[in-house]
Amino acid sequence: MRLKLPAFCIGVFWLQQQPSLPDAAWLWALPLVLTPFLLPHFERAWPRQVRMLAVLASCAVLGFAWAGWRAQARMADALPPAWEGVDVRVVGVVAGLPDRDAHGERFDFRVEKLLTAGAQIPARIRLSWPAPEWIAAQIPQRIEAGERWQFTVRLKRPHGTANPDGFDYEAWLLQKGIRATGYVREKGGAMKLGESGHPLDLVQRLRERIRDGIGLALAGHPQAGVITALAVGDQNAIPHANWRVYNRTGTSHLMSISGLHITLFAALVGGFVYALWRRVPALVLRLPARRAALLCGWLAALAYTLLAGFQIPAQRTLFMLTVLVAGLWLQREPRPASLLLLALAIVLLLDPWAVLAPGFWLSFGALAAMMWAVQGLQGAAGKITAWMRTQAAVTIALAPALLLLFHQVSLVSPLANALAIPVVSMGVVPLALAGALVPPLLQPAAWLMQGVEALLQWLSAFDWAAWALPASPPWALALALPGVAWMLMPGLPRRWLGGFMCLPLLFPAVATPAPGSFEAEVLDVGQGTAILVRTAGHALLYDAGPALGDNNAGEQIVLPRLRALGIARLDSLVLTHDDLDHTGGAAAVMRDMEPRWLLASLPAGHALLARPHRQCLRGQRWQWDGVDFEMLNPTPYAYAQSGRSDNDKSCVLKISRGAQSLLLTADAERIGELEMTERVADKLPATVLVAGHHGSRTSSITEFVSAVQPRHVVFTMGRKNRYGHPHADVLRRFAEAGAVMHRSDRHGWLRLRFAENGVSVERWREQRKRYWQQPVVE
């Protein structure tokens, strides 16, 4: 069983890596073909090793088929293209906790009825309800979890940014069963129809009331969001600045409802019940105190798991506790490893897409590491020593996964967790849950959390608190995993030798362009621009992407990519003009990457110009590693013209090497383009052009396109954006010019490699295809 369950899980994981789903007929036939290998007569006919391999292969194929069946059903619940962007009247229930901010409300919606004749939409959708334009501050609460509403909505199929080392929003939606996103139309007349009586909706309503109660009791307290997250699993309540501290100290798992919190809470409830039950003889005669404690502890774990929103760490713990309680109830104590594997299989049976979530690997990996480490702590000198050694073992065990997923690992994690876990799990969490019933107890919980936060901020402030490393090849990870197991294996001599197997992961080779060549990565940041240009020894970032609600593309997309490439510091940052879709991520990039120099056309006094900088000016030139850089616009008089738009002050940069060149025009419009065709027309021809203003009709005028004569043109914009970019006239001009067109909304991240023999283009959605992604339409 210990090998069969992992084989099943490998099959599930294998299915999630497929570019397209296998035919349903094959999925049904596979288990039938493999059934004979699982029958008793097969065991007598073949040698033991052959039998074992055949059985494991059969289990893996069963996992593959199971995940495939589930995926076929979920993908079938799709939004037809004909119903994208069309008004549809629906009735349904608000499923889960709504998120609220100054921009409006976002929530999952379970569709119960369609009022528009002939409409076809998925059963579960994600909606935003924009705040009315006249509201400048936090909007009033309009909806609550579990309420039934009638809306008029406009929907589109799931789509997110697509980058190496980036968050896969489409996979996240698939895991949650959300097959369309959209917004509520104010003109459609939203109407509340009552409340749902479904038990799960009642739980969601309870979660929201607890969240609201915590917000009221701790109004204005800096730890109100953390207390909310620990009580009801609403991690969106925690400010993004806090997450940065938790990531650098390796304590992010503590700020959600983790398995550790649930286990300790169940133990506290069970211990309390046991202490009281055994003192009442009448109760003991009906049910032994030990069984009563087990039952009440399990019920406490179930209640806390439901409050957590049934997240993966909570699921894993509940399933393990269920098996453990059942075994103890029947006077049979299961082995810890068997518990973990059984919980793993149950999670994937219920949710085959769990393997797509980093939390799945970190949650099960951390518990497996603790079990492994505890085996070697028998007779360890003191509880404190054993506790510190356990935290160190977990840090070492999770390092490969953290480096693979996030390209950094916290060096202060063992100390931070050793100090924070007892306070948070045994102090803050019980007080937060008790505070849901007795609100005055929320204040001590917040005070305790404030002390933990101060400690974590102090640890995270060290420059060496987190070690960032470039992305490693898959073979380095495959080598490091047995190396880590060797280092942690109890009783094995010379365990330090396992560290040598981790060296390729810790010190990977960093690929850079050859001297005399350069490459540009056009990051997919949605409706905005962020382009990384690298030479053999230098890196320049041209804009930093948009602000994304209360987050930004710099934090979510640009920085992860820079770390994956091994870039610890930028040589230059160019902020082309004062638009949030170009500068929204700049503050985060400047904080972490500390560019050696800053070029910008931002107005004087702009918050991003607090550090030394230079204005972009035509005629600025420099050379890196045999590659020429030249600024073609704006001119000094452009800054002096009060009526000139920010777009026409955009920093226009040309990068050249021999016959190959790249022209970056930001949001330059008609005036800027005419200036360049009149004054620097001889410098405009380029192999690749990034179209101005995302393909707006106000840019890429006929004269400019004729002067540039690009062989490739790149459009950076969001799918089905409200501006209608790229405009049909612009597409026609480039088509007539014979340019090959690349679009971030269809192709995702792009890498352009410039060498003497030409330009090669890589497109992420074609390079890393998954079955849940929409097909690229040319």
Side-chain angles (χ1 to χ4, degrees):
M1 185 61 70
R2 289 191 180 187
L3 293 177
K4 292 175 183 177
L5 289 178
F8 177 86
C9 298
I10 290 171
V12 172
F13 178 78
W14 181 26
L15 185 281
Q16 307 304 344
Q17 310 308 307
Q18 301 306 304
S20 59
L21 286 176
D23 186 84
W26 281 100
L27 291 175
W28 283 107
L30 279 174
L32 298 177
V33 172
L34 294 167
T35 299
F37 294 105
L38 303 177
L39 297 177
H41 74 83
F42 178 76
E43 296 185 6
R44 297 188 294 269
W46 296 92
R48 183 175 180 274
Q49 292 81 359
V50 175
R51 292 201 309 268
M52 179 57 68
L53 288 175
V55 168
L56 293 181
S58 301
C59 292
V61 171
L62 284 173
F64 183 88
W66 170 253
W69 294 331
R70 295 289 305 277
Q72 291 277 9
R74 185 155 292 185
M75 294 299 293
D77 185 28
L79 178 69
W83 287 98
E84 281 195 291
V86 178
D87 285 358
V88 179
R89 293 175 63 211
V90 298
V91 173
V93 175
V94 178
L97 298 178
D99 300 325
R100 300 184 183 91
D101 56 26
H103 303 285
E105 295 166 299
R106 296 175 300 279
F107 54 95
D108 296 347
F109 193 68
R110 189 173 69 249
V111 177
E112 294 181 328
K113 185 188 303 182
L114 296 176
L115 303 181
T116 300
Q120 298 179 43
I121 69 172
R124 191 179 182 94
I125 59 180
R126 184 162 179 82
L127 297 174
S128 63
W129 192 351
E133 295 182 359
W134 51 268
I135 294 181
Q138 184 80 14
I139 65 169
Q141 182 171 317
R142 294 179 289 186
I143 58 172
E144 293 185 3
E147 290 182 338
R148 181 173 285 108
W149 280 80
Q150 176 181 312
F151 292 127
T152 298
V153 300
R154 279 193 179 177
L155 301 175
K156 61 182 179 180
R157 289 175 291 172
H159 185 86
T161 57
N163 298 280
D165 315 295
F167 174 66
D168 192 336
Y169 180 64
E170 295 167 49
W172 180 78
L173 290 176
L174 179 73
Q175 183 186 356
K176 295 190 67 177
I178 296 170
R179 302 299 299 133
T181 63
Y183 62 94
V184 175
R185 296 269 288 164
E186 287 289 350
K187 294 180 180 179
M191 184 187 306
K192 181 180 176 181
L193 302 178
E195 296 180 342
S196 168
H198 191 280
L200 292 180
D201 293 327
L202 295 177
V203 171
Q204 297 298 336
R205 200 171 306 139
L206 174 63
R207 292 179 70 207
E208 179 151 23
R209 288 175 182 170
I210 293 174
R211 182 177 71 172
D212 293 344
I214 293 172
L216 185 63
L218 298 178
H221 197 287
Q223 298 307 314
V226 178
I227 299 302
T228 301
L230 291 174
V232 296
D234 182 17
Q235 297 186 31
N236 292 324
I238 301 178
H240 287 285
N242 292 41
W243 283 117
R244 172 176 162 78
V245 173
Y246 305 149
N247 290 334
R248 286 180 59 81
T249 55
T251 54
S252 298
H253 65 100
L254 280 180
M255 308 311 156
S256 59
I257 300 181
S258 68
L260 180 63
H261 298 335
I262 292 176
T263 302
L264 289 177
F265 178 67
L268 285 173
V269 171
F272 180 74
V273 169
Y274 180 77
L276 292 180
W277 199 278
R278 62 196 297 266
R279 285 174 169 76
V280 182
L283 294 176
V284 174
L285 290 174
R286 288 181 172 272
L287 183 67
R290 187 168 180 264
R291 290 193 171 188
L294 286 172
L295 180 60
C296 292
W298 181 83
L299 290 173
L302 174 63
Y304 198 8
T305 300
L306 292 174
L307 281 180
F310 212 58
Q311 299 170 12
I312 288 176
Q315 291 178 30
R316 179 256 300 163
T317 304
L318 179 65
F319 297 147
M320 291 182 65
L321 288 176
T322 301
V323 177
L324 178 62
V325 167
L328 293 175
W329 189 282
L330 299 173
Q331 299 181 347
R332 296 181 61 185
E333 188 170 345
R335 294 180 179 180
S338 300
L339 280 176
L340 183 65
L341 290 174
L342 191 57
L344 179 70
I346 294 174
V347 167
L348 293 183
L349 279 171
L350 296 176
D351 181 9
W353 301 276
V355 295
L356 300 174
F360 171 85
W361 301 100
L362 297 178
S363 174
F364 279 99
L367 190 56
M370 291 182 69
M371 290 179 176
W372 192 273
V374 166
Q375 295 180 46
L377 296 179
Q378 304 298 329
K383 294 182 179 179
I384 295 179
T385 301
W387 178 243
M388 290 296 295
R389 286 176 61 183
T390 300
Q391 294 307 314
V394 171
T395 300
I396 293 171
L398 293 185
L402 290 169
L403 291 174
L404 175 69
L405 297 168
F406 307 115
H407 309 298
Q408 71 175 17
V409 63
S410 174
L411 299 181
V412 298
S413 176
L415 178 60
N417 278 283
L419 297 176
I421 285 176
V423 179
V424 174
S425 294
M426 304 182 70
V428 177
V429 169
L431 286 172
L433 292 174
L437 300 175
V438 185
L441 292 178
L442 292 171
Q443 287 294 339
W447 295 336
L448 275 178
M449 195 63 230
Q450 188 69 27
V452 173
E453 184 79 22
L455 170 68
L456 297 180
Q457 288 182 351
W458 177 71
L459 289 173
S460 72
F462 292 107
D463 293 337
W464 48 268
W467 187 17
L469 289 171
S472 301
W475 65 265
L477 177 68
L479 186 64
L481 291 176
V484 166
W486 188 352
M487 285 192 292
L488 299 179
M489 187 174 292
L492 193 69
R494 297 183 178 87
R495 288 190 289 174
W496 53 270
L497 289 173
F500 286 100
M501 300 175 70
C502 300
L503 292 180
L505 182 71
L506 299 178
F507 301 98
V510 179
T512 58
S517 65
F518 70 98
E519 66 180 39
E521 294 194 9
V522 182
L523 301 178
D524 181 9
V525 294
Q527 187 67 23
T529 298
I531 301 172
L532 174 66
V533 180
R534 292 198 301 157
T535 64
H538 295 80
L540 175 146
L541 183 66
Y542 185 85
D543 283 331
L548 305 172
D550 57 351
N551 205 340
N552 61 80
E555 198 82 61
Q556 288 193 324
I557 298 171
V558 179
L559 286 175
R561 184 58 185 159
L562 294 178
R563 293 190 188 107
L565 292 171
I567 298 173
R569 188 176 185 185
L570 286 170
D571 294 286
S572 177
L573 173 62
V574 180
L575 299 179
T576 59
H577 64 296
D578 190 19
D579 266 355
L580 271 180
D581 59 336
H582 292 251
T583 63
V589 171
M590 293 169 71
R591 179 199 66 211
D592 282 12
M593 288 291 145
E594 299 180 349
R596 290 184 170 85
W597 46 278
L598 173 65
L599 277 171
S601 69
L602 305 181
H606 195 286
L608 293 173
L609 300 182
R611 56 178 295 151
H613 67 282
R614 286 184 262 176
Q615 277 190 331
C616 297
L617 290 171
R618 180 185 294 169
Q620 292 170 331
R621 298 183 183 87
W622 67 95
Q623 188 180 86
W624 285 340
D625 310 308
V627 179
D628 297 313
F629 294 74
E630 182 173 3
M631 198 67 68
L632 302 185
N633 238 23
T635 57
Y637 63 78
Y639 291 104
Q641 293 178 315
S642 59
R644 192 181 184 101
S645 71
D646 285 330
N647 286 350
D648 278 320
K649 296 176 188 174
S650 291
C651 303
V652 178
L653 180 64
K654 185 175 182 181
I655 307 158
S656 309
R657 176 64 176 98
Q660 312 303 328
S661 56
L662 169 66
L663 185 60
L664 306 174
T665 61
D667 279 359
E669 296 183 313
R670 181 179 180 83
I671 292 176
E673 291 182 346
L674 283 173
E675 281 181 344
M676 289 185 283
T677 56
E678 293 173 358
R679 305 293 177 87
V680 289
D682 60 318
K683 298 179 184 295
L684 289 180
T687 317
V688 180
L689 168 68
V690 177
H693 204 182
H694 319 288
S696 166
R697 67 186 304 176
T698 60
S699 300
S700 302
I701 61 175
T702 302
E703 297 89 338
F704 186 75
V705 173
S706 298
V708 178
Q709 297 179 340
R711 278 179 261 165
H712 299 266
V713 62
V714 175
F715 297 96
T716 60
M717 73 282 189
R719 180 177 180 269
K720 292 190 175 295
N721 60 83
R722 60 193 176 108
Y723 309 102
H725 298 157
H727 194 273
D729 290 345
V730 173
L731 293 173
R732 177 182 49 78
R733 286 182 205 129
F734 284 115
E736 291 173 352
V740 179
M741 286 179 269
H742 311 275
R743 300 172 48 156
S744 63
D745 64 332
R746 293 180 177 175
H747 305 119
W749 165 94
L750 301 167
R751 176 154 58 191
L752 309 162
R753 297 182 187 269
F754 296 79
E756 284 295 337
N757 59 352
V759 178
S760 63
V761 183
E762 298 174 37
R763 308 198 288 199
W764 185 245
R765 285 189 181 272
E766 296 174 352
Q767 186 174 317
R768 183 191 175 276
K769 184 77 177 79
R770 294 293 182 267
Y771 69 83
W772 57 81
Q773 296 170 345
Q774 294 182 46
V776 174
V777 179
E778 297 293 353

